[in-house]
């Protein structure tokens, strides 16, 4: 059998050796549990040796050990008897419940309990003496008591293993949550950094290219003025972001997030930056006057307009770029259109991160986002960015 190819556990070897030696010592001293049986003398050693050998497989083959041990304990009743054989049999019952299958762990206590009761009733009916109940009691002590003990120990062991597994799963879930939080925070920081700095760097790139390509002192001076303004503003934004990352907020007033009230200044800045490229910028805000929007919606709408204006500075053809805001039911609609086609003059490179960031902002609020070429009202080709941001908080007017 494959079960016997496994090495016995060290503790099982100790139990077997100690049990065999103790039983031999008891036999040598003439210690027996009963007398007047047909098989006396050294016959008591046979059940003892079999039971000691079964102790070696009490973990690896608990069912086989219990079944064979049952025959050994029955055979022991026809000899002078050894208390060590009885004790090792109780250990086999205990091991069969503790190390056996879950089905065996449920059945053995019930079976041994019924066997003890049946033994007591049977001998009482046969002998007609109250002392016959002691035989059922001894049977219960030898079989039912160790089986119940094994079931209790197994339940505690399974409960401990389940608690350990739950703790490991909790730690794993906590680590997954931490990793997801780190990834989400890195994505948020990337969006903020891109939206705050890309506009200034795009203007610097466009005007520096114009200053290098055009040999005109007035144009060069104007380009350098725009470059200086955007570089100073970009450095200020960078310092603010680095300060937020380094400081936990103790002893410092948190910087206010941009709101839609700053769109006029944003349009004016874009108009200055895009003048050399033939671009004009306009704001069409049809929201009800005094309407209050949730802070996340205002920030997302502001960043979408900001990034759309930056993309227009990079890629739009000469013409007017229009940023429109409107209420549509329970949502704020942001729509930015720009001329689409061939563009003369310098152009700043793009990476596509701006569109990704805008889409992420909208999806985080549960809205919808679309961008791509289309046709304007007059049939001209345009590039359109459209975002619909749900307004979950109630609006109030003053």
């Amino acid at each position: 059998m494959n079960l016997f190819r496994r090495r016995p556990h060290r503790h099982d070897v100790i139990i077997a050796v100690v049990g065999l030696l103790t039983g031999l010592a008891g036999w040598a001293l003439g210690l027996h549990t009963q007398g007047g049986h047909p098989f006396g003398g050294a016959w008591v050693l046979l059940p003892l040796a079999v039971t000691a050998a079964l102790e070696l497989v009490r973990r690896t083959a608990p069912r086989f050990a219990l079944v064979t041990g049952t025959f050994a304990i029955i055979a022991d009743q026809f000899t002078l008897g050894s208390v060590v054989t009885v004790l090792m049999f109780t250990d086999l019952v205990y091991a069969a419940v503790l190390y056996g299958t879950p089905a065996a762990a449920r059945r053995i206590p019930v079976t041994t309990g019924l066997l003890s009761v049946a033994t007591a009733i049977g001998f009482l009916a046969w002998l007609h003496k109250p002392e016959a109940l002691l035989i059922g009691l001894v049977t219960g002590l030898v079989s039912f008591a160790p089986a119940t003990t094994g079931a209790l120990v197994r339940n505690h062991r399974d409960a401990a293993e389940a608690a350990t597994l739950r703790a490991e799963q909790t730690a794993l879930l906590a680590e997954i949550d931490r990793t997801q939080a780190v990834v989400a925070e890195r994505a948020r920081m990337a969006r903020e950094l891109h939206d705050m700095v890309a506009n200034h760097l795009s203007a610097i790139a466009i005007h520096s290219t114009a200053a290098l390509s055009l040999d005109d002192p007035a144009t060069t001076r104007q380009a350098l003025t725009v470059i200086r303004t955007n570089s100073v503003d970009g450095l200020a934004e960078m310092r603010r972001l680095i300060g937020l990352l380094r400081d936990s907020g103790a002893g410092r007033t948190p910087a206010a997030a941009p709101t839609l009230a700053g769109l006029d200044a944003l349009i004016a800045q874009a108009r200055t930056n895009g003048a050399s490229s033939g671009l004009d910028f306009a704001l069409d805000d049809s929201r009800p006057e005094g309407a209050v929007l949730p802070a996340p919606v205002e920030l997302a709408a502001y960043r979408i307009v900001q990034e759309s204006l930056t993309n227009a500075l990079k890629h739009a053809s000469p013409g007017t770029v229009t940023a429109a805001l409107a209420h549509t039911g329970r949502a704020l609609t942001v729509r930015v259109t720009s001329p689409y086609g061939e563009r003369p003059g310098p152009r700043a490179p793009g990476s596509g991160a701006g569109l990704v960031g805008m889409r992420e902002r909208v999806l985080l609020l549960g809205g919808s986002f679309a961008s791509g070429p289309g046709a304007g009202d007059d049939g001209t080709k345009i590039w359109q960015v459209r975002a619909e941001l749900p307004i979950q908080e109630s609006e109030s007017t003053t």
Side-chain angles (χ1 to χ4, degrees), residues 146-222:
T148 305
T149 304
L152 293 175
V153 174
R154 180 171 182 142
N155 290 336
H156 284 294
R157 183 195 65 185
D158 293 345
E161 292 177 352
T164 302
L165 180 59
R166 285 195 299 270
E168 293 175 353
Q169 291 175 342
T170 302
L172 179 60
L173 291 175
E175 179 62 21
I176 293 175
D177 290 342
R178 187 193 69 82
T179 303
Q180 292 177 343
V182 170
V183 172
E185 182 64 15
R186 290 178 61 181
R188 187 190 68 82
M189 291 169 54
R191 288 193 299 270
E192 290 296 319
L193 181 61
H194 179 276
D195 292 344
M196 286 193 302
V197 180
N199 184 42
H200 301 296
L201 294 182
S202 298
I204 291 173
I206 292 172
H207 286 83
S208 62
T209 303
L212 292 172
S213 60
L214 300 176
D215 188 13
D216 182 7
T219 302
T220 302
R221 184 175 183 83
Q222 180 185 4

Side-chain angles (χ1 to χ4, degrees), residues 89 93 108-124 132-148:
F89 174 76
V93 177
I108 293 176
V110 175
T111 303
T112 54
L114 294 176
L115 178 63
S116 301
V117 173
T119 301
I121 296 175
F123 276 95
L124 181 62
L133 295 175
L134 296 177
I135 299 177
L137 177 61
V138 172
T139 303
L141 292 176
V142 173
S143 59
F144 179 68
T148 305

